[in-house]
Amino acid sequence: MTTRRTRPAPRPPEGTPPRAELARQARHVLADAVRIARWAAVERGAAAAPRSGPGAVPAQERAAAALNLTPGQIRAGWDRARLAGLVELHGDTARPGWRLHAWDRDDSAVLRGWVALFDAWSLVHPAPEGVEPSAVAEVVEALPQVLSLLQLSQGPVLVPALLDLLGQRVEELREERCEVPGAEQATEAAEAAGTTDAPAVNGTDGLPALLDWALEGLAAVGALTLDPGAEGRHATLTPLGNWAVWVKLEQICVAAQSPAGNIEQSAEDMLRGCARLTPGPARAEYRAWLAARTLSSAVTELLAVARGEDALLRGLAFEALRVVGAPAEAEVRATVAEPSLRPYALLWLAEYEGADPDDAQEVLTREESTWLWVDTAAAVADHGESELLVRHLDSAVQGTVPALLDEIRAVGHPRTVQVLVALAAAHPDPALAKAVRRAAFQVHTGGA
């Protein structure tokens, strides 16, 4: 810990432009996104947000006319604005994000917004049609090694060399997962899925097209350039891309020295390791763990843990997703339909859209608040002390214990009986403990 506290701030590689120049370049990359975000912020109407989809076509046309851009540029710029945190959506209404307010005066906010876009490059640039999602995911997961080679080369690298590295990394990932089917199995799987005409995903036949897609996507967000060259097409990191890759590598190096050491753990083990940390150190561990992974795979892994039976890990998974921010929005929003995740997702979205954490509870219905109370009580019962469970009573939205017991029975949380039994055992008031035990028995037997 002493070494970490006194560790000097790392310096970027020699030749990296000053932060002010990097921020200027990031502002240039996101210029259209900023214009669209400011237009949407002024409009502020229910139909003002120029989102893609039939319902938003009039808004796209109004934005295109006002900003002298094509509808395609409007859609692309709007997606960038959302991913960079320049706008927040409240239903169908657009609201300016905090980064938009600070855009002209805060270089750090600009660079963080661009890095968020850099992390989400695969969402900005649609994958080629007809390619298996698993093949796309493999390339996204393997791409950090390609970027590291570009960063270490400090100059242009021929695309065939990048393709060789990508193929090696994809094969390593498949070996790590023991997912290398034989040719006969691959053919049978393709025939069963009706995809015999799709690009190959079990070998490396489809990798050239996917590498082109990845390089074009990174070029679209200003991370690299693609040039023909005399010896063939080559890629070169821009100053912004070079700086971003260095930042990611530095984060990984720092994380490897952290006392908690969760960088190589699974999401579940990482969250368990953070369970007894205070919020600040826990967030540092989340950032370090995320820095060592592609955000899409990290979000998927965190949500898989959230769907498990451990209520404590469910809450911690959403705390980690708060660190992810904009790139997690779509997947978090999709979980609103899942009863066990709905309250957590609604709170996450409310805070993401600018609500004060103390006021975010207002987005939950009474039933959702009660469900969340039971889930939190289950986490306390499993991992906390009995006094904490007793004090948890004060956080219920119901004014009285009888009202709380009535509504707990109604929401149907799967841990209701265990929570009530634990609460009855912990509470010092004999009369209240007896009432809680009676309620637990009634829930167990299905009585009124």
Side-chain angles (χ1 to χ4, degrees):
M1 288 297 290
T2 302
T3 302
R4 279 176 55 78
R5 285 195 189 101
T6 59
R7 184 176 186 265
R11 293 183 177 276
E14 186 177 352
T16 301
R19 286 177 67 85
E21 172 59 20
L22 291 171
R24 186 196 66 77
Q25 295 178 17
R27 287 186 176 98
H28 176 73
V29 171
L30 285 162
D32 285 348
V34 171
R35 291 179 63 203
I36 294 167
R38 285 175 172 159
W39 176 87
V42 170
E43 291 288 313
R44 285 283 189 95
R51 294 192 285 177
S52 58
V57 168
Q60 293 172 19
E61 293 174 349
R62 290 201 309 276
L67 301 174
N68 195 27
L69 297 171
T70 66
Q73 289 173 319
I74 292 294
R75 286 191 296 272
W78 180 251
D79 288 340
R80 291 181 176 207
R82 288 196 310 115
L83 293 169
L86 297 171
V87 292
E88 300 166 353
L89 295 183
H90 295 258
D92 289 328
T93 304
R95 175 185 293 179
W98 71 269
R99 283 182 183 144
L100 186 63
H101 291 302
W103 196 254
D104 293 329
R105 55 181 170 78
D106 189 341
D107 290 346
S108 294
V110 172
L111 290 173
R112 285 196 294 270
W114 183 84
V115 169
L117 180 67
F118 169 73
D119 287 338
W121 68 267
S122 60
L123 302 178
V124 176
H125 195 60
E129 293 184 3
V131 179
E132 290 291 335
S134 59
V136 174
E138 285 177 341
V139 169
V140 172
E141 188 175 357
L143 205 65
Q145 278 68 30
V146 175
L147 291 171
S148 296
L149 174 62
L150 285 168
Q151 201 260 352
L152 292 171
S153 299
Q154 299 181 345
V157 179
L158 291 172
V159 170
L162 298 177
L163 181 61
D164 288 342
L165 177 61
L166 180 66
Q168 292 172 20
R169 183 56 184 150
V170 167
E171 291 299 330
E172 289 173 0
L173 291 172
R174 291 174 180 171
E175 289 175 5
E176 289 171 6
R177 291 192 295 262
C178 299
E179 292 179 0
V180 187
E184 185 177 343
Q185 291 175 307
T187 303
E188 292 176 358
E191 291 174 352
T195 58
T196 51
D197 295 330
V201 298
N202 292 304
T204 58
D205 292 348
L207 285 184
L210 285 173
L211 177 61
D212 287 343
W213 162 71
L215 295 176
E216 290 165 3
L218 289 164
V221 299
L224 55 79
T225 58
L226 283 169
D227 301 292
E231 299 180 6
R233 201 162 60 119
H234 58 262
T236 309
L237 285 179
T238 63
L240 266 178
N242 189 66
W243 170 79
V245 174
W246 169 79
V247 168
K248 297 296 181 184
L249 292 173
E250 178 62 23
Q251 288 174 341
I252 293 172
C253 292
V254 171
Q257 301 172 29
S258 68
N262 290 300
I263 186 172
E264 296 182 356
Q265 303 297 323
S266 66
E268 180 174 347
D269 291 338
M270 182 272 294
L271 294 173
R272 290 191 189 280
C274 293
R276 296 196 177 277
L277 297 178
T278 55
R283 281 192 294 272
E285 288 297 316
Y286 301 150
R287 291 189 186 97
W289 185 84
L290 290 165
R293 289 157 177 77
T294 58
L295 284 179
S296 58
S297 64
V299 170
T300 300
E301 195 174 344
L302 288 169
L303 287 175
V305 175
R307 293 185 177 96
E309 296 182 358
D310 195 318
L312 176 64
L313 298 187
R314 187 161 25 254
L316 292 177
F318 276 87
E319 288 300 320
L321 289 168
R322 284 176 173 84
V323 174
V324 177
E329 181 196 1
E331 292 195 56
V332 171
R333 198 174 292 279
T335 65
V336 169
E338 302 178 40
S340 64
L341 302 187
R342 179 177 175 81
Y344 294 94
L346 292 175
L347 291 175
W348 189 98
L349 291 167
E351 293 178 27
Y352 170 74
E353 291 167 356
D356 188 286
D358 294 333
D359 301 329
Q361 292 278 348
E362 296 176 3
V363 304
L364 301 182
T365 65
R366 192 174 175 100
E367 291 77 11
E368 290 162 353
S369 294
T370 303
W371 196 100
L372 183 59
W373 186 93
V374 179
D375 207 49
T376 306
V380 175
D382 290 343
H383 302 279
E385 300 176 355
S386 57
E387 293 82 359
L388 291 176
L389 188 59
V390 174
R391 289 204 296 271
H392 184 56
L393 274 174
D394 297 334
S395 66
V397 295
Q398 293 79 6
T400 65
V401 171
L404 173 64
L405 295 177
D406 286 342
E407 295 186 30
I408 283 177
R409 287 196 289 262
V411 297
H413 192 288
R415 295 291 304 279
T416 298
V417 173
Q418 293 93 325
V419 165
L420 292 177
V421 169
L423 181 58
H427 206 283
D429 185 335
L432 190 146
K434 181 178 180 181
V436 174
R437 278 195 298 272
R438 185 184 301 115
F441 179 76
Q442 290 172 343
V443 173
H444 178 66
T445 58

